[in-house]
Amino acid sequence: MSRISIVGVPSSAASYAAGQDLAPAALRAAGLPAKLIAAGLEVRDEGDLPVQVWKPDGGHPLAQNAGPAAESLRQLAGRLAPVLARGDFALVLGGNCTIALAVVAALRRLEAGAPGLLYADRHYDLNTPDSTTDGALDWMGLAHALALPGCVDVLTDAFGPRPLLEPRQVAWLGVQPQRATDWERAQAARLGLHVATGQALAADPAGAAAAALDRLPAGPLAVHIDVDVLDFTDAPLAEDTGGRNTGPTLGQAEQALTLAARDPRARALSIGELNPTRSAGDPDALPRFADSIARILAVTGRG
């Protein structure tokens, strides 16, 4: 049986503002490692990468902090490579959603077949510096993984040969299309992406997950959750507070991710866009989330 190895990425460099850099410490403080052990899992904590706190990047306003963000992701891929090579299951505590790229890059180094990515997120994350003016790379990550036109080379080329992913290697869960840019909707249609909406995920969590998993290749599987996929009223955790009273509850998302974790291809789970300040008025939110993660991973049979 393999163990769970935890790696923290306390970085908000690619974000809209500071906050996600606090998430790895907050998840540990909420008892996540102890909950995993209580679920019968063997746990090894690999510690955290260097802290990066978002700051305005006036020199690159449309792709802010791209250099530091790319360096952090290269470090993460390097940290994960030996973890995965020895057979451990990687639990990556972000940070923002760009961490999914580093997880896929580390899986690609295993040379065990084309990796797949199950991406639970309210957004496509297919923007580029040409399609939006906010300059936050955390909703541009998959555009760079797919090497879409208009991406910045420092991130697109951070992991070796481009593209990091082909469209057939990614499936989305929980997208709210009306919150996407016109560019993202056009790319999703052009590339024929597999997308389950937030409404579909809430209505049938297991069915939506099963359909997505069926579309992914036979190689090692990375599972990523951006906590903004959740109904913010049910689970006030995300940097993006706009998902109120829409999308799956934490319990519904747990059903979908439990099915994904059971998949024999699954090798990693990454958590992005958690801002601990959002749950200040709901002190049970972080412990409840940690409980869900422990239950999701307990079913893998890795204990």
Side-chain angles (χ1 to χ4, degrees):
M1 298 282 184
S2 62
R3 64 188 157 197
I4 307 290
S5 279
I6 301 172
V7 178
V9 190
S11 174
S12 56
S15 304
Y16 279 78
Q20 292 97 313
D21 46 285
L22 304 173
L27 286 168
R28 290 189 176 93
L32 179 55
K35 292 174 188 290
L36 293 168
I37 292 169
L41 296 160
E42 181 184 355
V43 176
R44 175 170 173 164
D45 197 329
E46 299 280 342
D48 289 351
L49 297 184
V51 176
Q52 293 180 332
V53 181
W54 178 88
K55 60 183 179 180
D57 184 359
H60 308 90
L62 298 182
Q64 297 192 33
N65 304 308
E71 177 57 28
S72 178
L73 296 180
R74 281 192 292 267
Q75 292 174 0
L76 177 56
R79 181 75 67 89
L80 292 176
V83 166
L84 295 166
R86 68 179 179 237
D88 289 12
F89 185 96
L91 174 59
V92 182
L93 311 179
N96 58 68
C97 283
T98 58
I99 59 175
L101 278 65
V103 176
V104 171
L107 290 175
R108 188 165 72 168
R109 293 184 191 180
L110 294 176
E111 297 182 351
L117 174 62
L118 184 68
Y119 202 72
D121 195 326
R122 193 174 290 262
H123 304 91
Y124 288 107
D125 290 355
L126 290 174
N127 282 298
T128 76
D130 291 340
S131 71
T132 179
T133 59
D134 55 33
L137 291 169
D138 63 354
W139 76 324
M140 303 185 196
L142 289 188
H144 286 77
L146 294 167
L148 298 186
C151 289
V152 292
D153 289 342
V154 69
L155 184 53
T156 306
D157 294 334
F159 308 107
R162 62 165 73 182
L164 178 63
L165 287 167
E166 300 283 354
R168 65 181 178 83
Q169 293 174 258
V170 194
W172 280 257
L173 287 178
V175 170
Q176 196 170 342
Q178 62 268 36
R179 300 193 68 192
T181 62
D182 290 342
W183 162 265
E184 288 183 294
R185 287 190 289 267
Q187 297 308 303
R190 178 179 71 84
L191 297 171
L193 303 179
H194 180 87
V195 179
T197 65
Q199 184 178 14
L201 179 57
D204 184 5
L213 290 166
D214 284 347
R215 288 289 298 267
L216 293 173
L221 173 68
V223 180
H224 177 77
I225 179 171
D226 176 340
V227 296
D228 78 10
V229 76
L230 303 169
D231 178 348
F232 187 82
T233 303
D234 176 70
L237 299 166
E239 171 64 20
D240 180 355
T241 63
R244 297 167 183 263
N245 306 314
T246 62
T249 63
L250 178 57
Q252 290 165 338
E254 182 182 324
Q255 292 179 50
L257 295 183
T258 297
L259 187 67
R262 279 200 189 106
D263 192 294
R265 296 169 292 179
R267 297 296 311 276
L269 171 66
S270 54
I271 299 167
E273 304 298 333
L274 192 153
N275 185 335
T277 67
R278 302 301 194 218
S279 60
D282 183 358
D284 290 333
L286 273 167
R288 281 198 305 120
F289 181 74
D291 284 336
S292 283
I293 296 301
R295 286 192 294 267
I296 289 165
L297 295 181
V299 304
T300 63
R302 294 179 172 89

